[in-house]
Amino acid sequence: MAERDTTGQRPIGFKRLLHVAAIAGAVALAGCQTVVPRGPAPVKRSPVTRPVQPQQPVVEQGIPTDTQRHRVALLVPLSGPNAGVGQSLANATQMALLDSKNERIRITSYDTATGAALAAQKALADGNQLILGPLLADDVRAVAPIAHRAGVPVVSFSNDATAAGNGAYLMGYVPAQSIGRVVDYAREQGVTTFGGLVPNGTYGQRASTAFLRAVESAGGQVASLQTYDRVPGSITSAIIRMSKSAPYQAILIADGGNAASAAVPVLRKNGMGGARVLGTELWNSESSIASKPALEGAWFASVSDGLYRQYAARYRARFGAAPFRLSSLGYDSVLLTIRIMRDWPMGAAFPEDRLKDRGGFAGIDGAFRFGRDNVAERALEVQEIRGGTTVTISPAPSGFER
């Protein structure tokens, strides 16, 4: 503490002390006077503090805002009769993201079973810049014009070539390509005379057209082409009609494995047992096709199964069930997106022109590229059913010539 400075002060005199005391006494008497109260003293009140309402979190409609990932919609049936294949496609897309360790793509699934057009509108409202799917051709036709108006391309899993165009691209296995490939291989092996059995309906009509064109292009001859209904006895009647133009070196059965397997004994009974049986891409989607003894030695063209078998094993380990064969389309559609992503700035529209890259793309199902008709052209191999399994007898090309 600093000491007070007293230098230069004079002592206080007696008279001055009396004067100070008199003033003090007057102040004391004044303090003893009675004061009439004028009312209660005002009570000081504490300011009222209103309780602070907790701030409510902002809830965004749709998927959250994301500036670090591209938004991609997956339109597949997740309910109804096709829910199994739709869920398998959805699982495959997520598996592709995990396998590639890609964190720049967000895939959101939308159920087309409740309305493909509504699913597309919701996907576009959520800001998706690319649509993978739908699966069914009718759904593609419903979605394509909606997406096209928004400038968003559609990469579908359908195999109906008539649904392509208007911003819609098809990744499905088109029967015309499978038929053309197996006919070309048969022609290379010396086959010149062909016969055909095709079911009535849209698939059969397209298979018939593809078969006639492929044989003509290869320099062969179709001696007989018969149609049948998928009812008991119809295919037998068609085979009997076909027998009138025998012999044949090869006969195409443009149907599933069960129908083809049932037809072969009838062919043998009617003198056509020596003809090589040819199948279509439908056979590749049937896991039990190789176990049908009647089809021993049959040929069919399809996408390669080498990488698919590895994929299927990983799928079973991750999801506890076998995948649908078509699920590889979902996996490959993600690989395609990742490939193009290098030229896709964040927040910008998807670069649709890159889908027409003539060098094509690679995936579980081998090399493919989209042609002028927006349909995937695929590098196919020819397989033979032999000893309860399928054996590749003509490998698929590894790529395309530009």
Side-chain angles (χ1 to χ4, degrees), residues 268-308:
R268 292 172 181 161
K269 185 177 179 180
N270 286 273
M272 292 172 282
R276 177 80 64 173
V277 173
L278 309 179
T280 72
E281 86 294 340
L282 294 177
W283 292 13
N284 195 48
S285 62
E286 300 181 32
S287 58
S288 62
I289 190 70
S291 64
K292 301 180 185 301
L295 297 181
E296 179 76 13
W299 295 341
F300 67 100
S302 73
V303 295
S304 175
D305 274 340
L307 292 177
Y308 177 80

Side-chain angles (χ1 to χ4, degrees), residues 137-386:
D138 286 343
D139 289 346
V140 177
R141 295 187 184 97
V143 167
I146 298 172
H148 188 61
R149 285 193 296 269
V152 174
V154 174
V155 179
S156 166
F157 307 131
S158 170
N159 68 344
D160 185 345
T162 64
N166 198 28
Y169 299 77
L170 267 60
M171 286 188 67
Y173 317 127
V174 180
Q177 294 180 28
S178 172
I179 292 171
R181 176 75 167 94
V182 75
V183 165
D184 284 346
Y185 178 76
R187 186 68 187 86
E188 291 170 1
Q189 307 312 306
V191 175
T192 58
T193 306
F194 295 81
L197 290 167
V198 296
N200 287 315
T202 301
Y203 182 86
Q205 292 172 0
R206 292 171 184 161
S208 296
T209 301
F211 182 51
L212 291 171
R213 288 177 178 173
V215 173
E216 181 182 4
S217 177
Q221 177 187 7
V222 177
S224 179
L225 179 62
Q226 300 295 327
T227 61
Y228 60 91
D229 296 318
R230 288 189 171 111
V231 296
S234 184
I235 195 168
T236 298
S237 298
I239 291 172
I240 293 173
R241 295 193 301 270
M242 178 181 283
S243 66
K244 298 176 182 179
S245 300
Y248 306 94
Q249 292 173 287
I251 296 175
L252 173 74
I253 305 177
D255 210 333
N258 289 333
S261 180
V264 170
V266 184
L267 288 171
R268 292 172 181 161
K269 185 177 179 180
N270 286 273
M272 292 172 282
R276 177 80 64 173
V277 173
L278 309 179
T280 72
E281 86 294 340
L282 294 177
W283 292 13
N284 195 48
S285 62
E286 300 181 32
S287 58
S288 62
I289 190 70
S291 64
K292 301 180 185 301
L295 297 181
E296 179 76 13
W299 295 341
F300 67 100
S302 73
V303 295
S304 175
D305 274 340
L307 292 177
Y308 177 80
R309 292 189 182 100
Q310 300 175 32
Y311 154 79
R314 298 198 314 274
Y315 184 104
R316 282 192 296 269
R318 179 165 288 160
F319 299 107
F324 280 77
R325 183 61 182 85
L326 290 177
S327 68
S328 59
L329 296 177
Y331 193 101
D332 286 355
S333 70
V334 174
L335 297 187
L336 175 152
T337 305
I338 293 172
R339 166 81 177 274
I340 296 178
M341 191 176 65
R342 289 175 287 184
D343 299 322
W344 185 10
M346 195 66 64
F350 181 84
E352 183 177 348
D353 60 308
R354 285 298 316 282
L355 290 171
K356 292 296 187 71
D357 186 345
R358 297 305 296 161
F361 307 92
I364 290 173
D365 289 332
F368 68 97
R369 66 181 177 183
F370 293 107
R372 293 180 180 178
D373 57 359
N374 287 12
V375 176
E377 174 189 355
R378 293 190 170 275
L380 303 179
E381 68 179 20
V382 178
Q383 300 178 33
E384 179 180 321
I385 297 176
R386 186 188 302 168

Side-chain angles (χ1 to χ4, degrees), residues 43 60 65 85 99 127-128 137 173 239 284 395:
V43 179
E60 293 188 53
T65 301
V85 64
D99 288 350
N128 292 283
Y173 317 127
I239 291 172
N284 195 48

Side-chain angles (χ1 to χ4, degrees), residues 9-13 16:
Q9 290 187 354
R10 294 181 180 179
I12 300 176
R16 189 175 180 184

